[in-house]
Amino acid sequence: MEHTPTIRSKIETELKQRGYTFSSFSKISGINRGTFSTMLNSNPPKPISVRQMDLITKALGYPEGWLYELYIDECFHEGKGHWKRIKPFLLRCVELGRKECIQKVLSRLTEDLSYVSTVFEFAEELHEAGKEKEAISFYECVVENERYHHSERLAISQFRLFSCSLNKDLENNRQQAIKFAPYRKNLPESHQLDALLKLANVYYQVDDCETTIRYTRELEVIATNIYQQQIQARLRKREVKPLNTERHLIVYYGQAYLTQGNAYEKQGLYKKAMEFIPYYANLTDFEGLDEVGMLEARKFEMWAEANRLNLEILMGDMTNLPAYVELIRNNPQEILLGLLTILESANTYNYMIDEYLILFGENINEFRDLRTNISYYKTNYNLANYSRFFLELSRYYFNKGNYSEAIDCMLNSLKATSQLNDKAYYIKSITLLFEKYKDHSTHEQRTEYEKVIKAVENNIKEMTF
């Protein structure tokens, strides 16, 4: 029968092969000779701490994490978990990226489900330390082992996993939102603010306006309730409890109204969208604003003015177009969406905007690079806006009879669309437009079009399989 090595037998073998005594090894490792002796020779042997294990590893010249697989048994002496040894070991495994050791420890630890709360607290410590990705395994462990479906820690764990799962893939984000949403009401109020804002943004970016409005209304209710509670606390001269949120309270309050308005705008309900602007236009009057809150309030003032002008232009009122152009010039992160508004209005109401296209020519050339960090939404949401922008610009040039420029813009729209996960609507719009004006394209443009279309088709096949 083959003998399974233990952590102590491995260390003893190393000492023997290298000719170390306890005394000589004590000097190079920094571990007291007596302590080292009791770790190996006493009956039962004294447990080895992870710090001591690291000192032994370093003294023997092995890479960090040597024998960590065997050290797991040290954490479960006589079959029971010892958190005072487990926690430092898990922290070291996190530092070294030893995921396989983490999973083995968690698997053994949760044989006793009373440890689920301890794992959750550890995950929260990692999260608070800015180690969100490293905490994922621990939140997943809580989700897999939590017995109570309506528990707060299960809801928080699901929320943390949802937040970490959001990326540039809009369809992924939608699926993750569907998975998380049922847990939102079991969160503490402060966490609900962050959760609802994220949910609303996910659905806004995938053009699901009805769901966006539902979550922004929930956000509106909770943000208003918390604000009213703070007002009452101040009136009664009681301490206002600090919110454990990612953003200032005013952000959630203002975004509840701003995003609702934007969702109605997406549906073409411009007059309805206009009704929400007064609710976030004057938030400098918000009680209890600190310096950060005042800065956020001023952002909402700018957005309110931009959205008011934006909606007027979309409804065909060009009176304030120069003021709108000046506003987006002074706020570069608004230029893409601002120009998109102007183009949509110009195409709908058939008026010329050449002077503004010249004015923003440098920006438009930069948009051709399809960068995704040029607005407040640093995701593929910008790729969707690039696709819309160049499609509208293409239509504008076609209406003018500038076919060469129009087809170039269409190809830009197609390139942006090819990087999107949910691309069916955009592809259909672009291909219909290209087929309509195909006879005006050059050989080079047709070649480029076929090349990008082929790339799109290959991407779709890859996603299918």
Side-chain angles (χ1 to χ4, degrees), residues 3-12 67 70 73:
H3 176 68
T4 304
T6 66
I7 197 165
R8 287 171 176 78
S9 68
K10 291 285 286 184
I11 293 171
E12 286 171 345
L67 299 187
L70 295 178
D73 286 334

Side-chain angles (χ1 to χ4, degrees), residues 56-108:
I56 293 168
T57 299
K58 185 177 180 181
L60 292 173
Y62 280 104
E64 289 184 298
W66 178 64
L67 299 187
Y68 268 23
E69 290 85 356
L70 295 178
Y71 186 81
I72 294 171
D73 286 334
E74 201 73 10
C75 299
F76 293 89
H77 184 59
E78 296 181 348
K80 295 180 181 179
H82 296 270
W83 186 245
K84 286 186 177 180
R85 283 197 290 281
I86 292 172
K87 183 177 181 180
F89 179 57
L90 287 175
L91 285 170
R92 283 293 288 146
C93 287
V94 166
E95 288 174 14
L96 299 176
R98 296 295 297 271
K99 293 182 180 180
E100 75 288 351
C101 291
I102 292 171
Q103 290 300 333
K104 286 178 182 177
V105 170
L106 291 178
S107 178
R108 289 180 65 172

Side-chain angles (χ1 to χ4, degrees), residues 384-395:
N385 285 330
Y386 282 133
S387 186
R388 288 175 60 204
F389 172 79
F390 282 110
L391 187 57
E392 290 297 329
L393 188 56
S394 179
R395 286 177 176 142

Side-chain angles (χ1 to χ4, degrees), residues 213-225:
I213 291 168
R214 182 167 82 245
Y215 288 134
T216 50
R217 284 177 178 167
E218 287 185 30
L219 181 61
E220 174 191 332
V221 170
I222 294 173
T224 301
N225 286 344

Side-chain angles (χ1 to χ4, degrees), residues 290-352:
D290 54 14
E291 186 178 350
V292 172
M294 188 60 71
L295 288 172
E296 297 289 359
R298 288 182 180 132
K299 286 182 189 176
F300 280 106
E301 280 187 348
M302 184 273 290
W303 289 330
E305 179 64 7
N307 287 342
R308 181 183 66 80
L309 295 172
N310 169 71
L311 290 167
E312 288 176 355
I313 290 165
L314 288 172
M315 288 188 283
D317 181 356
M318 299 296 111
T319 309
N320 290 318
L321 181 56
Y324 185 61
V325 168
E326 190 61 24
L327 187 148
I328 63 176
R329 280 186 70 190
N330 293 330
N331 296 277
Q333 289 180 305
E334 300 289 340
I335 290 175
L336 176 61
L337 289 176
L339 285 178
L340 179 55
T341 291
I342 294 169
L343 275 167
E344 288 177 343
S345 181
N347 289 335
T348 301
Y349 299 103
N350 195 28
Y351 63 86
M352 295 294 104

